[in-house]
DNA sequence: ATACATACC
DNA sequence: TACTGGTATGTAT
């Protein structure tokens, strides 16, 4: 059922092991069926199905010659990508476990051991691990969560507390990489290559022992290396971080960092260690919660790690792309590679490039902060409104908040975009390009009202 | 250039 | 009864 794949739980996510998926799916469906939200999901599912059909019919008429030619091009492209593979950096993805919920359980001890959801009847932003056992998830409406777990306690978010905890976590991360890239309050990428290169033998001696930290293969193979533990060096005397021993050292460093984060915040953080952001991110999910994973800086190890990796685990492949690929019998990275000729012919160059890089584990290892933002705005969902003046009020208020933010952050913009959602969850976007960059509230308001009136 | 879709937290 | 909000980016026309 195509709709179910859109609204049901994602089976790969953490905390799902003990969930009875059929039962929770049934609850979710029975609560959604007949609602305007569900109808819209059905509409979108049909649209995806249509996309798949077009793709399949294009696939059906591909000649052997075309496929052979595409295979040759894909193969050449793979060789090109291999020349870009960079194993030299030690990238870490840190991800706090059930962050908002963990902060609440820390600050409100009476909630410990009970299932909690952060948010309200309309929507949850986080579910505690206790709640996840019942199938309660992030981005689930509270009223459905309550049906899955009647004892669920809904907790209003306290963003100031989360921001404070986030600052504490980031202060620890900054000790290891002052240029770390934060993704959200609870997630960040670090490049600890330079930090590790600077470690003195005294520093190394302070690190937690490998055996308490790493996965068996890393432990065995790192210990069987010829030089002394933690002291792998190349001919120039610099520490070689791409060896298994170097990775074992990285695992100890990251364990120390996670311990420090736990000491200062009482929160647990999971981490992935690899040679680029994509692999580090997949890694941080492997041993969640309160775990870490280290992927050796080695092509064969990376390909072996990815071979059976479900496509959905790749950051950037969501429910829709997962389904499209599944219809083409592609469910893991190995299949992604094997079907590269087909992908080359069916998808855009950008998508093909992305699939190939994902399947090979070749991605960016840049963890510097992104240069500048590209958009800023506000949106809000409100009860059904039909009167023009009411809609104008809402629009003007959102313009006001946006203009205020732009002034505070000293930003200018040249395009004004109005987003409208109807009661049946259809979304419309209307935008205009202004003659010049501006942050002027009246200018933004006039542009937005103009767009609004076009739709009334 | 515009509209819409997908993805992420 | 009830399904977010903010930002980036890809696809289609």
């Amino acid at each position: 059922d195509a709709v179910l794949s859109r609204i049901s739980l994602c089976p790969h996510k953490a905390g799902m092991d003990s969930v009875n998926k059929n039962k929770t799916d049934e609850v979710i469906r029975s609560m959604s069926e007949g609602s305007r939200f569900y109808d819209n999901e059905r509409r979108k599912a049909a649209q995806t199905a249509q996309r798949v059909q077009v793709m399949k019919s294009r696939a059906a008429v591909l000649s052997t010659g075309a496929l052979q030619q595409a295979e040759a091009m894909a193969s050449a492209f793979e060789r090109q990508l291999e020349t870009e593979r960079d194993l030299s950096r030690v990238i870490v993805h840190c991800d706090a476990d059930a962050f908002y919920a963990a902060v609440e359980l820390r600050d409100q001890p009476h909630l410990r051991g009970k299932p909690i959801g952060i948010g309200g009847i309309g929507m949850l932003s986080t579910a505690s691990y206790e709640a996840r056992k019942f199938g309660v998830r992030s981005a689930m409406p509270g009223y459905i969560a309550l049906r899955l777990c009647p004892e669920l306690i809904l907790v209003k978010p306290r963003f100031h507390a989360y921001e404070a905890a986030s600052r504490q976590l980031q202060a620890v991360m900054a000790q290891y990489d002052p240029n770390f890239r934060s993704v959200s309050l609870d997630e960040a990428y670090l490049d600890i290559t330079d930090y590790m290169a600077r470690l003195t033998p005294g520093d190394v001696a302070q690190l937690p022992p490998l055996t308490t930290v790493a996965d068996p293969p890393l432990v065995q193979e790192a210990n069987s290396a010829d030089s002394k533990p933690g002291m792998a060096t190349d001919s120039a005397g610099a520490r070689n971080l791409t060896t298994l021993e170097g990775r074992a050292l990285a695992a100890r460093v990251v364990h120390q960092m996670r311990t420090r984060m736990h000491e200062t915040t009482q929160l647990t953080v999971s981490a992935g260690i690899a040679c680029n952001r994509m692999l580090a991110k997949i890694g941080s999910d492997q041993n969640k919660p309160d775990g870490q994973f280290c992927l050796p800086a080695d092509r064969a190890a990376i390909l072996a790690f990815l071979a059976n990796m479900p496509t959905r685990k790749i950051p950037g492949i969501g429910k829709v792309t997962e389904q499209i690929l599944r219809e083409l019998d592609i469910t893991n990275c190995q299949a992604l590679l094997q079907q590269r000729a087909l992908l080359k012919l069916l998808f855009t160059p950008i998508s093909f490039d992305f699939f190939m890089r994902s399947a090979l584990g070749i991605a960016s290892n840049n963890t510097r902060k992104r240069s500048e933002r590209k958009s800023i705005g506000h949106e809000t969902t409100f009860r059904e409104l039909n009167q023009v003046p009411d809609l104008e009020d809402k629009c003007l208020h959102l313009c006001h908040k946006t203009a205020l933010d732009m002034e505070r952050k000293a930003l200018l913009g040249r395009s004004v975009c109005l987003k409208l959602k109807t009661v049946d969850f259809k979304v419309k976007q209307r935008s205009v390009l202004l003659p010049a960059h501006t942050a002027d509230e009246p200018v933004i308001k006039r542009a937005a009202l103009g767009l609004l009136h076009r739709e009334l």
Side-chain angles (χ1 to χ4, degrees):
Chain A
D1 178 15
V3 192
L4 207 56
S5 81
R6 299 185 63 92
I7 64 172
S8 86
L9 305 181
C10 167
H12 309 306
K13 286 276 183 164
M16 280 293 302
D17 307 340
S18 52
V19 177
N20 182 336
K21 189 169 187 304
N22 291 336
K23 213 151 116 189
T24 53
D25 274 355
E26 190 40 46
V27 172
I28 292 170
R29 198 176 48 158
S30 69
M31 296 217 51
S32 307
E33 227 160 32
S35 70
R36 292 197 270 210
F37 178 82
Y38 188 86
D39 287 347
N40 189 248
E41 287 302 301
R42 218 166 40 194
R43 187 181 61 79
K44 289 200 282 188
Q47 194 174 285
T48 304
Q50 173 66 21
R51 246 177 96 182
V52 167
Q53 274 320 109
V54 169
M55 226 167 234
K56 278 187 169 173
S57 52
R58 283 208 289 138
V61 298
L62 291 175
S63 68
T64 322
L67 278 164
Q68 276 171 1
Q69 196 185 3
E71 171 62 25
M73 287 193 285
S75 168
F77 184 59
E78 179 181 336
R79 283 194 297 279
Q80 161 65 28
L81 285 181
E82 280 297 343
T83 69
E84 287 178 35
R85 190 188 287 278
D86 182 357
L87 303 171
S88 67
R89 310 301 295 184
V90 186
I91 308 301
V92 184
H93 180 250
C94 287
D95 192 344
D97 306 315
F99 183 57
Y100 295 178
V103 171
E104 296 305 340
L105 293 175
R106 177 194 71 178
D107 295 347
Q108 305 190 59
H110 66 277
L111 294 176
R112 290 180 199 164
K114 296 178 177 162
I116 69 169
I118 310 304
I121 283 291
M123 184 53 61
L124 299 182
S125 60
T126 319
S128 68
Y129 280 89
E130 203 62 44
R132 291 182 197 189
K133 290 179 192 166
F134 296 85
V136 176
R137 313 298 320 273
S138 300
M140 178 181 276
Y143 64 92
I144 290 179
L146 279 170
R147 185 66 67 90
L148 289 170
C149 173
E151 313 95 282
L152 184 74
I153 299 170
L154 296 183
V155 179
K156 278 217 187 73
R158 294 181 304 129
F159 288 106
H160 291 302
Y162 312 149
E163 282 161 6
S166 179
R167 278 193 297 273
Q168 289 182 296
L169 294 177
Q170 293 186 355
V172 176
M173 292 191 275
Q175 296 170 20
Y176 296 84
D177 176 9
N179 301 308
F180 71 91
R181 179 193 292 194
S182 70
V183 180
S184 62
L185 288 183
D186 75 318
E187 223 180 282
Y189 291 96
L190 292 78
D191 183 336
I192 61 169
T193 316
D194 297 341
Y195 176 87
M196 290 183 63
R198 286 195 304 268
L199 283 176
T200 65
D203 293 332
V204 172
Q206 304 268 312
L207 293 172
L210 177 63
T211 44
T212 66
V213 159
D215 319 300
L218 204 58
V219 176
Q220 285 164 19
E221 299 183 50
N223 285 345
S224 68
D226 38 354
S227 49
K228 279 185 288 178
M231 294 300 289
T233 57
D234 63 19
S235 53
R239 191 174 277 118
N240 185 347
L241 302 177
T242 64
T243 61
L244 270 167
E245 201 177 1
R247 269 358 205 217
L249 187 60
R252 296 168 67 194
V253 167
V254 168
H255 194 274
Q256 182 192 57
M257 177 169 69
R258 291 175 48 241
T259 302
R260 288 178 179 177
M261 290 194 276
H262 184 254
E263 281 167 1
T264 53
T265 65
Q266 297 168 249
L267 302 170
T268 64
V269 175
S270 296
I273 307 161
C275 60
N276 62 46
R277 289 205 313 259
M278 179 194 78
L279 294 170
K281 182 163 171 59
I282 296 174
S284 70
D285 198 46
Q286 292 290 117
N287 292 321
K288 227 170 202 319
D290 197 16
Q292 63 180 67
F293 178 87
C294 183
L295 183 61
D298 170 75
R299 179 179 177 274
I302 291 168
L303 291 182
F305 173 67
L306 287 176
N308 296 315
M309 189 64 67
T311 55
R312 186 68 173 82
K313 291 267 191 184
I314 295 167
I317 296 184
K319 289 184 170 193
V320 173
T321 312
E322 178 194 30
Q323 196 203 325
I324 291 171
L325 291 173
R326 188 174 47 234
E327 304 256 8
L328 298 170
D329 290 321
I330 297 169
T331 57
N332 61 30
C333 287
Q334 198 168 37
L336 219 40
L337 271 188
Q338 280 163 356
Q339 297 283 48
R340 60 192 182 179
L342 189 65
L343 296 175
K344 168 88 186 156
L345 292 168
L346 291 185
F347 289 86
T348 64
I350 290 173
S351 294
F352 173 68
D353 179 285
F354 167 69
F355 289 142
M356 288 291 283
R357 286 174 188 276
S358 303
L360 293 168
I362 296 172
S364 169
N365 57 14
N366 176 15
T367 58
R368 291 308 182 97
K369 302 185 187 359
R370 286 220 279 246
S371 52
E372 54 187 345
R373 76 157 71 219
K374 298 182 175 170
S375 71
I376 187 167
H378 284 281
E379 62 182 79
T380 182
T381 302
F382 42 83
R383 66 183 168 83
E384 180 167 2
L385 288 181
N386 301 304
Q387 303 302 308
V388 174
D390 293 336
L391 291 166
E392 286 173 343
D393 281 352
K394 294 285 187 194
C395 179
L396 291 171
H397 184 237
L398 294 171
C399 288
H400 172 69
K401 292 215 291 184
T402 303
L404 216 62
D405 279 358
M406 291 178 74
E407 196 196 325
R408 270 200 286 264
K409 298 182 163 111
L411 295 169
L412 299 178
R414 200 157 82 96
S415 169
V416 174
C417 179
L418 178 78
K419 176 174 167 179
L420 293 162
K421 185 158 71 181
T422 61
V423 286
D424 45 9
F425 292 92
K426 289 200 179 89
V427 173
K428 282 187 192 183
Q429 275 179 217
R430 297 291 178 264
S431 67
V432 269
L433 199 57
L434 302 176
H437 289 83
T438 184
D440 189 51
E441 189 168 325
V443 170
I444 294 169
K445 283 178 168 171
R446 271 196 296 276
L449 284 185
L451 294 168
L452 178 61
H453 284 129
R454 263 170 50 186
E455 301 305 313
L456 301 177

